[in-house]
Amino acid sequence: MRTEWYKNAVVYQIYPFSYRDSNNDGWGDIEGIIEKLDYIKELGVTAIWFSPLYRSPDYDYGYDTSDYKDIDPKFGTLEDFDRLLKECHDRDLKVIMDLAVNHTSTEHPWFKEAISSKDSPYRDYYIIREGRRKGKKLLPPTNWESTFTGSAWERIGDTDEFYLHLFCVEQADLNWENPKVREEVVSILNFWLERGVDGFRFDVFNMFSKVYPFGDDFSKDSFQKGAPFYVDGPRMHEFLKELNEKALSRYDTYTVGESFHPSEENAHAYVKESNHELDSIFNFGHLDADNIKGKKFFKKPFDLLQFKDGLFAPQRSYYGEGWNTLVLENHDNARSVSRFGIDTKHYRYEAATMLATLTFMGYGIPFIYMGQEIGMTNCDFKNIDEMKDPVSHFVYDLMCGYGIPKPLAFRFIKYGARDHARTPMQWNDSVNAGFNDGQKPWQCMNPEYKEINVEKDLASERSVYRYYQKLLAIKKNNETAIYGKTEEYDHINKKIAAYSREYNGKRLFVVSNFSNKQTDFIVPQWVKNAKVLLSNYDELIRKGQTLTLHPYQAVIFEERENDILKS
Ligand code: NOJ
């Protein structure tokens, strides 16, 4: 029986490498997470999503899986995982597993078998094609690009054949056309569902179905060379329905898909409840409002209108038909308080709480990335060697190869690096911020930890965590905040974002100032006398319909019963 528990869920994402290292070996682990479950529960979240915990050689830090049915030894054992699951469930916290099955690690036994002989039954688990001979040269089968730079094809030894990898060379794409591959995925899902997990986050799911026959991509508008052949392929909807029928729908699950530039039409179809595909997908459009065309390393002045478009379009599009998600950060993005033109130095608390209010009071499930709840900032990396993400290195090398001077290339990388999100969690101001007992962490600490850490935040009068607690309590319990329809207000305003939510005749109004200056804003007539449910400032200056908002002030208003009678 499906209970749709996810509709008023709040999800907390843990990147296990960096949460808490209980055995002081430099890597976060399951025992460390168990130690912190009360802290997580107290925040007010109802579910935890774990970035991959499976066995992996970590070329892409867990997103290259070499055994989907086991836990990587650096994190613990299957027994440790079962204990984690029980400890979560004892606290009424649901558990969402990450699953990267667009590709496997090239160290997965399937891949090793596949390339061991042309007759291997595993050969057809992957996408293997003859290269093209041009004179003496052997070219890849098509001109497609990997998301992580370079060709999407890698030659197999000294043969004429290549395998497809849309990400790292060490991440070989699975051939979802092969029913056996889909059976394997169903078996993985059932393995974890049987153990008791409550849901899955599917990594780059809309690349599962490719477009055949393959060819070169000469289109000018494709986001990446080859994308028309591997994004939203023709069997996507069928594949998702199959996973539902054979695994997901048999349990009380929740699914969220991480997609690569889906078309609007497909995005809508993936989440439409009556289609039985996914319960939700992530929408990241607003997170591109400070970079050029979705290219993370290329900064542009923050565009609030673009941010609003990205945030509100899915809320409008899915309402009434499918559920939505609300995201500011994850392991692939820089820290939100260090972005979006924010004056972090002077207004970190105000901005962290404003961004959360604006984003999480919308229509959908809030996803909080570890450390966001204390307003963790980007890291002042000193050089490229401090960064561990392969993508930072690929793009840095590419830029240097094009003749961009190293210091400039480093500046670009530092702007958008995923590494910012992956520095260890900052618990206190002791050695390594309490991540462990002193062993050098796999990824350097953010030196800000002396100032920004859990202990200090909780002791502060202006605690981001404590504000989140109040905000999440509203988000989970107020019916309008859960089910209300979002109506954006004053879209063209370049300093303020505002919207109403309405459900069963009840209304909320959310307003947030993106400026580091006091800013006037005229609210709708009905908000004039509305009750203030929450604000990140004690003071609210209002004169009739005009609010004078403090720098980065956010306010949630609720219509009073007698206001409704009057209007
Ligand atoms: C999306 C994941 O979030 C990211 O971390 C990973 O590198 C790629 N998919 C490839 O699996």
Side-chain angles (χ1 to χ4, degrees):
M1 236 284 281
R2 301 200 69 207
T3 61
E4 300 190 333
W5 56 265
Y6 61 87
K7 291 195 171 170
N8 67 342
V10 176
V11 183
Y12 187 78
Q13 182 192 353
I14 290 184
Y15 192 65
F17 292 85
S18 300
Y19 205 57
R20 160 88 182 129
D21 169 16
S22 72
N23 60 356
N24 198 35
D25 65 356
W27 306 93
D29 47 50
I30 289 180
E31 192 56 48
I33 296 170
I34 294 175
E35 277 176 33
K36 300 295 182 186
L37 287 178
D38 289 336
Y39 165 83
I40 298 169
K41 173 74 185 172
E42 283 285 295
L43 180 62
V45 307
T46 61
I48 308 181
W49 148 30
F50 296 102
S51 277
L53 288 160
Y54 320 108
R55 276 186 191 261
S56 164
D58 293 335
Y59 287 97
D60 190 21
Y61 295 97
Y63 287 92
D64 48 324
T65 306
S66 55
D67 184 348
Y68 293 96
K69 295 184 179 170
D70 201 2
I71 296 294
D72 195 282
K74 68 182 167 302
F75 297 136
T77 60
L78 259 180
E79 288 67 42
D80 293 331
F81 176 80
D82 288 340
R83 203 154 45 83
L84 170 66
L85 190 61
K86 178 170 183 316
E87 294 281 348
C88 287
H89 285 166
D90 286 351
R91 290 170 177 80
D92 257 340
L93 290 166
K94 304 276 188 192
V95 170
I96 299 168
M97 299 297 270
D98 213 320
L99 195 62
V101 282
N102 172 68
H103 41 262
T104 72
S105 159
T106 48
E107 288 182 27
H108 195 291
W110 301 337
F111 187 79
K112 287 189 182 165
E113 269 283 329
I115 58 164
S116 67
S117 126
K118 284 206 171 186
D119 308 321
S120 161
Y122 288 95
R123 193 93 178 161
D124 196 35
Y125 269 43
Y126 294 88
I127 300 178
I128 295 174
R129 293 284 185 284
E130 286 268 317
R132 291 179 293 187
R133 284 258 164 225
K134 220 177 183 185
K136 281 199 174 142
K137 264 196 181 163
L138 182 64
L139 299 177
T142 66
N143 68 350
W144 304 354
E145 278 170 1
S146 144
T147 311
F148 287 175
T149 73
S151 167
W153 297 96
E154 181 72 6
R155 189 171 173 188
I156 303 178
D158 55 7
T159 70
D160 276 8
E161 290 191 313
F162 291 72
Y163 67 87
L164 181 70
H165 64 89
L166 294 177
F167 294 89
C168 285
V169 170
E170 295 83 3
Q171 291 164 298
D173 275 57
L174 280 167
N175 173 19
W176 276 67
E177 298 294 315
N178 181 346
K180 288 210 179 97
V181 166
R182 303 202 300 279
E183 265 168 42
E184 299 275 12
V185 175
V186 165
S187 141
I188 296 164
L189 293 175
N190 282 324
F191 175 85
W192 293 103
L193 288 167
E194 270 303 301
R195 279 197 123 75
V197 311
D198 306 286
F200 293 91
R201 176 251 186 208
F202 288 104
D203 189 69
V204 290
F205 78 93
N206 66 330
M207 290 178 167
F208 295 168
S209 162
K210 312 298 196 260
V211 180
Y212 298 91
F214 291 169
D216 281 333
D217 176 16
F218 296 113
S219 55
K220 287 220 168 66
D221 54 352
S222 78
F223 184 78
Q224 183 172 289
K225 235 184 241 159
F229 290 94
Y230 52 72
V231 172
D232 291 336
R235 298 186 70 189
M236 254 338 302
H237 301 287
E238 175 197 335
F239 290 162
L240 293 171
K241 286 187 172 81
E242 185 176 335
L243 300 185
N244 254 290
E245 191 201 313
K246 297 189 174 157
L248 300 165
S249 66
R250 302 180 179 194
Y251 298 80
D252 190 14
T253 55
Y254 162 65
T255 53
V256 55
E258 189 242 11
S259 51
F260 186 83
H261 303 273
S263 71
E264 244 178 82
E265 195 192 339
N266 275 301
H268 194 272
Y270 294 137
V271 302
K272 194 171 169 181
E273 271 176 36
S274 54
N275 281 355
H276 304 292
E277 295 183 14
L278 293 169
D279 296 313
S280 60
I281 63 170
F282 290 131
N283 303 285
F284 300 134
H286 54 305
L287 303 185
D288 288 331
D290 60 356
N291 64 40
I292 299 171
K293 293 192 179 162
K295 304 279 182 200
K296 286 197 173 101
F297 301 111
F298 298 102
K299 183 179 179 170
K300 76 169 185 205
F302 176 58
D303 180 346
L304 180 57
L305 301 196
Q306 186 183 343
F307 187 92
K308 296 194 228 181
D309 278 337
L311 189 65
F312 296 121
Q315 299 188 39
R316 274 192 299 268
S317 158
Y318 308 156
Y319 191 75
E321 298 207 297
W323 215 250
N324 187 38
T325 59
L326 303 162
V327 180
L328 274 169
E329 292 183 20
N330 59 31
H331 63 292
D332 290 335
N333 280 283
R335 292 290 184 177
S336 57
V337 279
S338 302
R339 304 180 59 181
F340 312 133
I342 282 165
D343 180 353
T344 320
K345 194 163 160 219
H346 300 104
Y347 296 106
R348 189 178 60 86
Y349 166 81
E350 291 78 2
T353 48
M354 178 279 283
L355 285 170
T357 311
L358 170 69
T359 309
F360 295 154
M361 283 304 288
Y363 167 62
I365 304 165
F367 275 75
I368 300 161
Y369 181 67
M370 60 177 212
Q372 186 184 331
E373 77 279 13
I374 55 160
M376 273 174 65
T377 52
N378 277 354
C379 177
D380 186 14
F381 292 108
K382 295 288 179 254
N383 56 57
I384 189 76
D385 295 328
E386 282 192 342
M387 296 178 164
K388 297 289 173 259
D389 179 14
V391 178
S392 300
H393 289 264
F394 295 150
V395 181
Y396 176 79
D397 291 346
L398 191 75
M399 287 181 177
C400 295
Y402 278 124
I404 297 179
K406 285 185 176 173
L408 182 59
F410 180 59
R411 250 181 43 211
F412 279 122
I413 301 301
K414 196 167 153 179
Y415 178 67
R418 310 196 293 184
D419 305 77
H420 289 298
R422 300 177 180 191
T423 57
M425 179 72 184
Q426 295 158 203
W427 295 104
N428 53 46
D429 62 5
S430 69
V431 64
N432 292 338
F435 167 66
N436 64 15
D437 293 339
Q439 173 67 36
K440 191 172 177 229
W442 73 281
Q443 162 71 72
C444 70
M445 298 300 309
N446 183 335
E448 292 277 349
Y449 78 82
K450 299 257 180 210
E451 286 310 310
I452 304 169
N453 61 61
V454 170
E455 224 171 80
K456 208 162 171 178
D457 184 84
L458 290 177
S460 161
E461 284 209 351
R462 291 165 1 118
S463 159
V464 181
Y465 181 99
R466 303 236 185 265
Y467 184 88
Y468 263 61
Q469 285 180 315
K470 292 182 207 154
L471 178 69
L472 298 180
I474 297 173
K475 176 67 197 187
K476 284 181 307 185
N477 300 312
N478 183 307
E479 282 210 325
T480 317
I482 303 166
Y483 300 104
K485 183 171 184 191
T486 305
E487 201 80 57
E488 199 193 346
Y489 186 74
D490 196 10
H491 175 73
I492 55 170
N493 194 315
K494 290 190 173 150
K495 289 186 179 154
I496 308 273
Y499 58 93
S500 60
R501 304 280 316 276
E502 183 165 359
Y503 184 69
N504 267 352
K506 293 201 172 149
R507 289 194 279 193
L508 294 174
F509 192 77
V510 180
V511 55
S512 58
N513 181 9
F514 263 81
S515 156
N516 61 354
K517 309 251 164 13
Q518 274 204 347
T519 309
D520 284 350
F521 185 66
I522 299 173
V523 293
Q525 171 78 14
W526 70 265
V527 180
K528 209 168 97 179
N529 300 312
K531 175 177 155 195
V532 174
L533 265 191
L534 185 67
S535 174
N536 54 353
Y537 278 79
D538 290 336
E539 182 191 48
L540 175 65
I541 309 174
R542 56 170 154 180
K543 240 190 205 156
Q545 268 174 261
T546 305
L547 306 180
T548 302
L549 294 166
H550 292 294
Y552 303 105
Q553 182 164 17
V555 192
I556 306 170
F557 296 95
E558 186 176 46
E559 193 166 29
R560 296 175 212 254
E561 291 288 326
N562 44 3
D563 291 338
I564 300 176
L565 296 178
K566 265 190 254 159
S567 63

